[in-house]
Amino acid sequence: MIRIAWSNLRSATGRLSAAMIAIAVSVAFIVAALLFAQAFGDTLRNQVRAEWAGADVAITATASDDPTAAGEAPPLTKSTAETVADVDGVEHAQLTESAYVAVGAGTTSVTGAATNLPQGQTETVDGSAPDSDDELMLREADAKTLGVGVGDTITLGEFDGQRQSSVDGPDFTVSGIMPGSSSAGMKLYLTEDGLASAPGELVPDSIRIVAADGPDRSALAEAVESALADAGADQGVSVRTVDQVVDEQIESLSNTSDMLSTVGIAFGLLAAGVAALVISNTFNVLVASRTRVLALFRAVGASRTQVRGASVIESLTLGVVGSVIGVGLGLLIGWGLSSVVGALWMPEFAEISPSVSAFVVGPVVGILVTLAAGMVPAIRASRVSPIEALRPVDVPPATPKVRWVRMTLSVLLGAAGIGLCLLGTSSHSVLMGIVGCFALFVALLIGAKVFVPPLVALFARIVGLITRRSPAVKLAGRSASTAGGRTASTTGALLIGITLVTAVVVGSSSLQRTLELATAQDTPVDLVVSTAGHSGADDAKIASVLDDSPIVEDRVNVPAPTAKVSAGGTDDSGDVAIASAEAAADSPVLRSDGYDVDEGTILIDPKSMGLDADADVDGTTATIRLGGQDIDLTIETSFAVPAGTALVSGADAESIEAAAGGGAAEQTWAKIADDASSSQIEALASDLDAVDASADASAAQTRAEFSSLFQVALAVVLGLLAAAVVIAIIGVSNTLTLSVMDRRREGALLRALGFTRAAMSRMITIESLLMTVIALIVGGVVGTFFGWVGTASIMPAAANPVLSVPWAQIGLIGVAAVLAAFLASAIPARSMSRIVPAKGMSME
């Protein structure tokens, strides 16, 4: 049995190389994903440890089980820290607080947390720790994000939780830059006095305790807990050693790295599934080409078990060798990814380290997949009878037949899958949609042997008519449709990659478009420019800035007189620009039908009237004081209106404009291009600020952030799918190479009949293109359906899912697939064209 396997391996080394590459790529993907996820987890752990460096015991607030306790005083206070500082063994106790703020540096504007500098954390890579109330320190990764260095200025503004307000607060000078990055977003470290002057509400985080020489951390934690109990300050707090706090935070953060591992393994299994099709196809062809050899083995005494065992050993050897190569390749990929992330994103990103999971999961998957893929060919090899050795070597002509069982199973499973997909979209069930898509996809793979060969033959006839019955096209179609199993398996591997890529592209575009249309109903105006409160504003300069901007598609001026607006029963009021909801109804600047405001109602943000954002003023009366008149309207709260602006109906706007008299102020409403980036929008807002105009581009900024998020997610998923696509292309090349080996006598005969080398090469290339085009058509249609199902299943019942097909991206997929088909056929086509007629005819 071993001798038979060794003989088979030596005679088919070249034929098995492509299958070995396929399994190596899939194993490398899994190994690299696990190594990268582990390095990411190590990075998070190092960040957590660095943030707690220098402390020995920590006091943190515990979550309250009583929902009515939200308004109670926080358990962590300065008095609590003073109580702890008096405990024996405590050298220092520091209350750390933080506030969410808007952070601005140049044209960059993000959110972060301002906090006081913890004791013992003064290590810097540049500069020094802040020593005055107008200085701050931040970590190296955050400094790169803001594009600042020591001596640069950072402006902090208030962050209200609904939208980022303009960064117009106090300025701070960067005194130093700390190494690494924070695991909890951007952090800015200020002195105690500097933190008091920072905008935003300070929230206690913890009390960091530094131990004096003497008791260990556990004993000190017990002493602190006892002191708090004696002082009656132990309610709602937890006293633990820093080691315990770090372990708890690491455990909560490990979910992220675990998710990365899960995603990597999932896409690796997908790549391994595609590799299984390639391997199974390879062994099927090898069994067919070894019929006489296997029959001779049987004739000289080899049993079926020995022949089957030899095939299993052959696939096992292929799996082991491919997995070993994959582990080495995975190490290189993982090291490369870690180096790139460390150079471009996180300087402190941990280096990859060998792990048992990476070196076990990957090879086990590779070996099991190879064994499973080679099992059916092994059984088929054991069924070769000794009499086969006496038959002619010529392959009998294929007789067309319908695979009724396979077709019936495929139709039934496909119908069930479509039904589940439709049920998932109507009930907005993601699980139902996934199950339905999976069932439909399995039905396609099962039925590939039924519908792929006829489709290839049909498409070949169509191409033949266009090319005036080219013999090369006709023979390519005949070869592909005759070897139906081989063609269907290869096309199925391509079908997996193209379907998934199309589904991701269409699903991402549809989901993005659906969300854009949904948000456009609430925020139909991208950019609102106002000159209210700016005495030096110049309308001509504002128009010039907007007209010169490459991202402004259209603009319109709307009347917006400024008035004092107050809510009934309150003394607070604010200067608010009153605009008509119908002013730009017929203008292309609106992304939807516009704001819907009933007559007698005012759509306004409570903050515009000097109230808190959570003030309940819906249904109360708003008094508008303008031109010596008071106009009362019913309040309808909205956080979607432009900042500093309230909207009224057209009829009410006429009354307000009449009260304002002639020369009422105006706003400029503008539409921003769909492909505008966040940085371009921020640059436009800065240009408008330079001409003394205020701009509210929150709606456009939100859309740009959504678009950027989708683009990043799309790039990541397509990158993860790349392994499956590469393996599918390897499968095409492998299939064509095996086809050339099996058709040497046919090729020699064609050469003897007058076929040129170019025609022989063209025949193989056309065969590759036929399979690719069929996979493109079927995969494109099914992938588009999957994309719509995913979008409709994810969106809530109130949303209206929209199918958006990005034709440019779909076209690129098609071009890439055709180019890949050409490349995959290059070596097989060259081999076919180099067949010598006399030598080829002499081969058995």
Side-chain angles (χ1 to χ4, degrees):
M1 182 169 63
I2 296 177
R3 289 181 179 179
I4 296 174
W6 179 244
S7 175
N8 290 341
L9 285 170
R10 284 190 303 173
S11 63
T13 302
R15 303 184 184 191
L16 292 173
S17 58
M20 185 181 300
I21 293 174
I23 198 64
V25 170
S26 59
V27 171
F29 193 97
I30 295 175
V31 171
L34 290 175
L35 290 175
F36 183 79
Q38 180 181 350
F40 185 76
D42 291 341
T43 303
L44 294 179
R45 296 182 188 95
N46 294 337
Q47 289 175 344
V48 172
R49 293 190 180 100
E51 289 179 1
W52 286 100
D56 296 291
V57 177
I59 304 176
T60 57
T62 57
S64 176
D65 297 330
D66 183 8
T68 63
E72 293 183 1
L76 300 178
T77 61
K78 290 185 178 180
S79 62
T80 306
E82 293 170 357
T83 300
V84 172
D86 294 334
V87 176
D88 291 338
V90 174
E91 180 177 332
H92 184 77
Q94 179 190 21
L95 173 66
T96 61
E97 300 174 291
S98 63
Y100 282 108
V101 293
V103 185
T107 59
T108 303
S109 181
V110 295
T111 59
T115 185
N116 42 344
L117 183 65
Q119 292 287 335
Q121 291 195 17
T122 57
E123 179 187 358
T124 61
V125 294
D126 191 13
S128 60
D131 56 9
S132 64
D133 58 3
D134 61 348
E135 292 182 341
L136 59 77
M137 187 163 63
L138 71 166
R139 296 192 178 271
E140 189 175 8
D142 297 333
K144 285 186 176 182
T145 300
L146 294 173
V148 298
V150 174
D152 291 336
T153 300
I154 292 178
T155 305
L156 302 186
E158 187 174 355
F159 181 76
D160 58 24
Q162 296 293 334
R163 63 164 70 99
Q164 184 176 311
S165 60
S166 58
V167 185
D168 55 0
D171 292 336
F172 292 83
T173 302
V174 178
S175 66
I177 297 177
M178 305 168 68
S181 62
S182 172
S183 62
M186 179 177 292
K187 281 193 174 182
L188 308 170
Y189 299 95
L190 290 73
T191 64
E192 299 289 345
D193 293 337
L195 186 62
S197 65
E201 180 184 359
L202 289 176
V203 177
D205 293 326
S206 64
I207 296 178
R208 298 166 55 94
I209 302 172
V210 179
D213 296 336
D216 59 18
R217 289 181 172 179
S218 298
L220 182 60
E222 293 177 358
V224 169
E225 190 171 13
S226 177
L228 290 177
D230 294 341
D234 59 337
Q235 297 297 317
V237 298
S238 174
V239 182
R240 290 166 296 171
T241 65
V242 164
D243 300 323
Q244 293 172 325
V245 174
V246 169
D247 289 341
E248 180 181 326
Q249 292 186 2
I250 288 176
E251 184 179 355
S252 64
L253 290 173
S254 65
N255 293 332
T256 304
S257 57
D258 291 344
M259 180 61 69
L260 287 177
S261 300
T262 303
V263 170
I265 292 175
F267 280 92
L269 290 175
L270 172 64
V274 177
L277 293 177
V278 175
I279 295 167
S280 179
N281 200 21
T282 301
F283 278 115
N284 278 324
V285 174
L286 287 176
V287 169
S289 65
R290 294 172 179 168
T291 300
R292 291 194 71 196
V293 176
L294 294 174
L296 285 173
F297 283 142
R298 294 278 286 115
V300 297
S303 65
R304 288 190 173 185
T305 302
Q306 289 176 319
V307 173
R308 183 170 58 250
S311 295
V312 172
I313 291 175
E314 188 176 0
S315 61
L316 177 62
T317 304
L318 178 69
V320 171
V321 175
S323 297
V324 170
I325 296 174
V327 169
L329 184 61
L331 279 171
L332 291 176
I333 295 174
W335 175 82
L337 286 174
S338 299
S339 300
V340 170
V341 170
L344 302 180
W345 180 34
M346 299 173 66
E348 78 284 6
F349 194 82
E351 295 183 359
I352 63 169
S353 58
S355 64
V356 176
S357 61
F359 294 141
V360 170
V361 175
V364 166
V365 170
I367 293 172
L368 290 180
V369 165
T370 309
L371 284 174
M375 194 59 65
V376 173
I379 296 173
R380 185 175 299 172
S382 67
R383 292 176 178 172
V384 176
S385 62
I387 198 65
E388 297 286 340
L390 303 177
R391 293 183 177 178
V393 296
D394 290 336
V395 179
T399 55
K401 62 178 181 179
V402 178
R403 303 173 182 268
W404 291 106
V405 175
R406 184 181 291 270
M407 184 176 69
T408 302
L409 179 60
S410 175
V411 169
L412 292 177
L413 189 58
I418 293 175
L420 288 173
C421 287
L422 296 178
L423 183 60
T425 58
S426 60
S427 61
H428 302 279
S429 171
V430 177
L431 178 60
M432 197 75 71
I434 292 175
V435 173
C437 290
F438 182 77
L440 180 56
F441 200 58
V442 172
L444 284 175
L445 294 180
I446 292 175
K449 288 187 178 181
V450 178
F451 69 84
V452 168
L455 283 178
V456 171
L458 175 62
F459 190 71
R461 285 197 293 271
I462 295 174
V463 176
L465 292 175
I466 299 174
T467 58
R468 298 182 180 180
R469 300 184 182 278
S470 168
V473 175
K474 185 176 181 180
L475 288 172
R478 178 182 176 276
S479 173
S481 59
T482 300
R486 182 173 61 205
T487 302
S489 179
T490 305
T491 307
L494 274 173
L495 186 64
I496 291 176
I498 292 173
T499 300
L500 292 177
V501 170
T502 305
V504 169
V505 170
V506 173
S508 175
S509 178
S510 298
L511 186 59
Q512 182 179 348
R513 184 58 180 163
T514 301
L515 291 175
E516 285 178 351
L517 292 177
T519 55
Q521 296 296 325
D522 296 327
T523 55
V525 183
D526 291 337
L527 172 68
V528 175
V529 183
S530 176
T531 59
H534 298 274
S535 58
D538 189 330
D539 292 339
K541 291 182 179 180
I542 295 173
S544 177
V545 169
L546 294 175
D547 292 339
D548 293 342
S549 174
I551 63 173
V552 176
E553 293 186 344
D554 207 341
R555 64 182 179 86
V556 64
N557 292 333
V558 298
T562 302
K564 284 284 186 182
V565 181
S566 61
T570 66
D571 295 330
D572 296 319
S573 65
D575 291 327
V576 184
I578 312 296
S580 169
E582 304 169 10
D586 299 327
S587 172
V589 300
L590 297 183
R591 288 185 172 269
S592 63
D593 295 335
Y595 296 99
D596 184 18
V597 184
D598 295 330
E599 187 173 354
T601 301
I602 182 171
L603 206 62
I604 192 170
D605 185 338
K607 297 191 302 297
S608 300
M609 299 180 289
L611 303 175
D612 293 334
D614 56 355
D616 185 12
V617 291
D618 266 332
T620 61
T621 300
T623 301
I624 302 173
R625 296 180 178 85
L626 183 65
Q629 300 182 29
D630 287 352
I631 301 175
D632 292 336
L633 299 175
T634 303
I635 294 177
E636 183 177 341
T637 300
S638 173
F639 297 104
V641 295
T645 301
L647 296 170
V648 296
S649 67
D652 292 328
E654 292 179 0
S655 302
I656 294 174
E657 290 174 25
E666 289 185 332
Q667 288 183 340
T668 301
W669 292 3
K671 184 177 182 180
I672 303 298
D674 292 339
D675 59 352
S677 65
S678 295
S679 58
Q680 288 178 311
I681 297 172
E682 290 170 357
L684 176 59
S686 297
D687 291 341
L688 290 169
D689 184 64
V691 295
D692 209 16
S694 60
D696 180 9
S698 56
Q701 194 68 266
T702 300
R703 291 189 182 90
E705 291 170 357
F706 267 125
S707 178
S708 176
L709 179 64
F710 276 105
Q711 294 302 319
V712 171
L714 180 62
V716 170
V717 175
L718 291 180
L720 294 174
L721 288 173
V725 176
V726 169
I727 293 174
I729 299 303
I730 293 174
V732 173
S733 181
N734 190 37
T735 298
L736 293 175
T737 301
L738 295 173
S739 173
V740 170
M741 292 179 180
D742 290 342
R743 294 156 57 188
R744 287 189 178 274
R745 297 192 68 195
E746 176 190 339
L749 178 60
L750 291 174
R751 291 282 285 119
L753 292 175
F755 257 61
T756 63
R757 286 189 172 185
M760 299 290 290
S761 176
R762 189 162 55 249
M763 181 177 66
I764 298 299
T765 302
I766 291 173
E767 188 174 339
S768 173
L769 287 174
L770 289 174
M771 291 186 290
T772 301
V773 170
I774 295 303
L776 272 174
I777 294 173
V778 178
V781 172
V782 176
T784 300
F785 177 69
F786 284 175
W788 176 77
V789 170
T791 302
S793 300
I794 291 175
M795 297 305 295
N800 183 24
V802 177
L803 175 63
S804 175
V805 180
W807 294 110
Q809 294 179 359
I810 297 296
L812 288 176
I813 294 172
V815 171
V818 171
L819 290 177
F822 273 108
L823 293 176
S825 65
I827 296 177
R830 185 173 182 273
S831 300
M832 193 68 167
S833 67
R834 294 171 65 88
I835 294 177
V836 179
K839 185 178 179 181
M841 293 292 289
S842 66
M843 294 176 61
E844 291 189 355

